[in-house]
Amino acid sequence: MEHIQKAVEKLASPRLRAAVSIQTTLLSSLTNLMREEGMMQLLPVMVSPITDPLSHSVLEGSIKYGSIELQLTKSMILHKQLALASGLEGVFIISPNVRLEHPERGSTGRHLLEFSQLDFEMRGRKMEDVMRFSERLLAQAFSDVKKRHEKELELFGRELRIPSTPFRTYDSRDLEREYGPDWERIISSSSKDPVWVTNHEREFYDAEDPDKPGTFRNYDIIYPEGFGEGLSGGEREWEHSRILYRMEKKGMDASPYSAYIEAARMGKLVPSAGAGFGIERMLRYVCGVAHIEEVSPFAKVPGKEIIF
Ligand code: AMP
Ligand code: MG
C-alpha cells in the first residue's frame, strides 16, 4: 500500500510536472535540430525477430506470436542501418527500449527496465561528425531548457551548466590504465562538463578501426558530477564479410541474424555512424536528481516493485 501511495504522490507532484515540461523542451530542441540537419523521423519498432544483442547481460524479453518468437526491442541499431538502405541520409527515432536489467542495477540511479532513446544514424558520416553533432545537440537543448525553465530548474535546485564544446576526449584504454575498472565513475565525478570516451570493445556492429585492429571507432558521452554515461554510438560495420568476422570473433550464433546478414550480402547496408541518447538519463542530469525514477512517471526500476 505504501508503495502505491508513493507512486501516486509522485505522479501528482509539482516536481514531476516540472520534469515532464523540461523533457518536452529537450525533445523538441533535439529533434528540431535533427530535422534542420535533413534527418527523417522513423516510427519505433517494438517487436522483431532480431534486436541489439547488447554487450552486457540482461534477462531475456520476448513474446510469442503463434509459433514465432519476437524479441522486444533492446535498441533499434540494426533497424537504423537497414532503414538507410532506402537512400535516406539520416534517420532518428524516439525509440522505446525494453532491457530486463538484473535487479542489482536498481541502485545505480540510472537503470530502468524500459526507457527511451533518441536514436539516430547518419549515412556516410564518421565518428568525429557524430561527436560534433551530438555536442551541438546537447548545448542547444540545455540552453533552451535554461531559457524556458528557470522556475522548474529552481524547483530542483539545479544550476545547469551549458557545456563548452568540443568536449574533452579520452581513450577508454588510457582511463582503464590510469584508474582501473572504475574509470567511468572517477572521470564522471571529477569533470564539470560532459566528456567523450572512445574506443570500447563491444557489440559486433561497432566498427573496428581498419588501420588499427583492436581499436574501435565508437564513443560514449559521460555526464559530469557522477551522473555517468548518457550516450553511446559508433561508426558501424556494414560489409558482409566484416559482419561475419566480428560475429565469429565474438563467438555469436549468427543464425538469428540471417535476414540482416543477407541484406549485408546484397550490399544494402551502407557506411554510417550514429548514436543514441538515453532520454531519461539526460533528464536526470538536467534536473540533477539522484535517481532516474524521480523524473520518470512510470519508472520500472530493476528489482523494485512495479506499480504502473
Ligand atoms: P547503449 O547503446 O546500451 O549504451 O544505450 C544507449 C543509451 O541508452 C545509454 O547511453 C543510456 O543513456 C541509455 N540507457 C541504456 N540502458 C539504460 C537503462 N537500462 N535505463 C535507462 N537508460 C538506459
Ligand atoms: Mg552504452
Side-chain angles (χ1 to χ4, degrees):
M1 218 34 204
E2 202 185 314
H3 277 120
I4 298 176
Q5 264 169 17
K6 265 181 89 174
V8 174
E9 271 161 25
K10 182 181 87 178
L11 283 172
S13 71
R15 272 167 79 87
L16 190 68
R17 190 166 69 234
V20 173
S21 47
I22 291 173
Q23 177 178 276
T24 303
T25 295
L26 285 174
L27 285 173
S28 73
S29 294
L30 296 163
T31 57
N32 281 342
L33 267 178
M34 290 184 175
R35 286 184 200 96
E36 281 167 24
E37 199 67 20
M39 299 167 79
M40 300 294 153
Q41 183 164 10
L42 297 180
L43 296 175
V45 169
M46 298 181 67
V47 290
S48 168
I50 54 167
T51 190
D52 190 336
L54 299 180
S55 62
H56 69 282
S57 125
V58 295
L59 306 180
E60 277 319 302
S62 63
I63 57 169
K64 277 261 167 73
Y65 176 63
S67 60
I68 302 169
E69 191 180 359
L70 295 172
Q71 306 296 315
L72 303 178
T73 293
K74 293 179 182 135
S75 96
M76 271 180 64
I77 172 63
L78 306 177
H79 295 84
K80 288 193 300 182
Q81 282 188 291
L82 290 162
L84 291 180
S86 65
L88 290 170
E89 288 297 322
V91 293
F92 68 95
I93 320 106
I94 296 174
S95 169
N97 291 180
V98 174
R99 297 188 188 174
L100 304 178
E101 309 275 5
H102 292 283
E104 55 276 15
R105 291 211 155 187
S107 58
T108 63
R110 55 198 171 98
H111 286 90
L112 293 171
L113 300 179
E114 68 167 345
F115 65 96
S116 293
Q117 280 197 62
L118 178 55
D119 209 357
F120 64 99
E121 196 71 20
M122 301 162 110
R123 164 193 281 267
R125 300 297 183 89
K126 297 291 187 192
M127 63 187 280
E128 292 76 15
D129 301 319
V130 173
M131 290 164 78
R132 299 295 84 81
F133 182 55
S134 303
E135 290 163 350
R136 204 148 60 79
L137 287 170
L138 273 194
Q140 180 69 52
F142 289 5
S143 120
D144 287 345
V145 166
K146 237 185 138 138
K147 255 185 263 157
R148 287 185 218 159
H149 295 287
E150 205 180 318
K151 272 205 199 108
E152 287 81 358
L153 289 173
E154 213 177 284
L155 193 71
F156 288 105
R158 184 61 162 158
E159 197 55 63
L160 180 64
R161 278 171 65 89
I162 310 301
S164 32
T165 58
F167 304 163
R168 275 190 80 162
T169 301
Y170 300 90
D171 184 300
S172 76
R173 308 248 163 102
D174 296 338
L175 292 178
E176 178 116 33
R177 247 193 312 274
E178 195 166 346
Y179 301 114
D182 205 19
W183 58 262
E184 183 184 324
R185 192 188 56 76
I186 295 167
I187 200 74
S188 175
S189 311
S190 59
S191 302
K192 277 216 166 79
D193 274 337
V195 299
W196 288 107
V197 181
T198 63
N199 186 18
H200 311 266
E201 182 161 7
R202 52 192 184 207
E203 298 89 348
F204 75 87
Y205 52 74
D206 272 4
E208 190 171 12
D209 192 328
D211 301 326
K212 288 186 247 161
T215 298
F216 297 88
R217 294 188 56 83
N218 55 17
Y219 35 82
D220 283 2
I221 285 179
I222 308 295
Y223 290 126
E225 303 165 55
F227 284 92
E229 183 202 317
L231 164 145
S232 288
E235 284 177 24
R236 313 304 181 186
E237 299 287 1
W238 56 280
E239 288 169 298
H240 181 246
S241 60
R242 287 285 314 166
I243 289 173
L244 290 181
Y245 168 76
R246 290 291 307 283
M247 284 183 158
E248 194 192 319
K249 200 134 191 250
K250 299 205 82 65
M252 285 174 66
D253 174 12
S255 58
Y257 300 93
S258 57
Y260 169 84
I261 292 169
E262 179 61 10
R265 197 196 58 75
M266 292 166 68
K268 299 302 179 196
L269 299 189
V270 296
S272 69
F277 285 103
I279 297 169
E280 295 85 348
R281 286 195 189 176
M282 187 187 292
L283 184 62
R284 170 186 178 232
Y285 171 67
V286 166
C287 297
V289 299
H291 203 291
I292 198 166
E293 73 179 311
E294 297 176 52
V295 291
S296 172
F298 309 112
K300 280 129 197 122
V301 180
K304 272 183 76 170
E305 195 178 349
I306 297 171
I307 312 282
F308 291 115

